[in-house]
Amino acid sequence: KHWKGPDVRARLAAVRGRFELVTERTPAGLGQASRSVAGQLDVAPGKLIHPLRVALLGKAIGPGIFDVLAALGRELSLHRIDTALAELAAGNEPGNAA
């Protein structure tokens, strides 16, 4: 359910753009960046966090997303988000790209 919806791709792209610019790659810094994007988009942070978790982990449950982002590092996190955005554009479910 976190992967479907009219604005998921746009929200994920917005948070990806912010994460690309974050210099403080700690869970706190990444959390603040996410909350800032949620505020700009006028959505609850969960509307970003849940699709982000699916993009990064391929499942809807897991450890704290900001801890995951910090552990994966900048390049791998951005790569996984880019892959998820491509799958969304193609209409695929996460992990089932054609």
Side-chain angles (χ1 to χ4, degrees), residues 3-24:
W3 201 247
K4 299 181 189 217
D7 299 328
V8 171
R9 188 168 184 262
R11 291 177 190 152
L12 195 55
V15 79
R16 188 250 186 250
R18 179 61 60 88
F19 286 160
E20 189 171 23
L21 303 174
V22 170
T23 56
E24 184 186 342

Side-chain angles (χ1 to χ4, degrees), residues 24-64:
E24 184 186 342
R25 306 242 9 126
T26 63
L30 294 160
Q32 178 56 39
S34 177
R35 285 187 292 282
S36 174
V37 172
Q40 289 175 344
L41 297 176
D42 196 28
V43 298
K47 295 287 186 179
L48 301 176
I49 291 168
H50 295 300
L52 186 59
R53 180 174 285 115
V54 174
L56 294 174
L57 299 174
K59 51 187 166 179
I61 58 172

Side-chain angles (χ1 to χ4, degrees), residues 5 28-29 42 48 58 62 65 72 79 81 83-84 86 90 96:
D42 196 28
L48 301 176
I65 197 61
L72 289 176
H79 174 73
I81 295 169
T83 300
N96 294 327

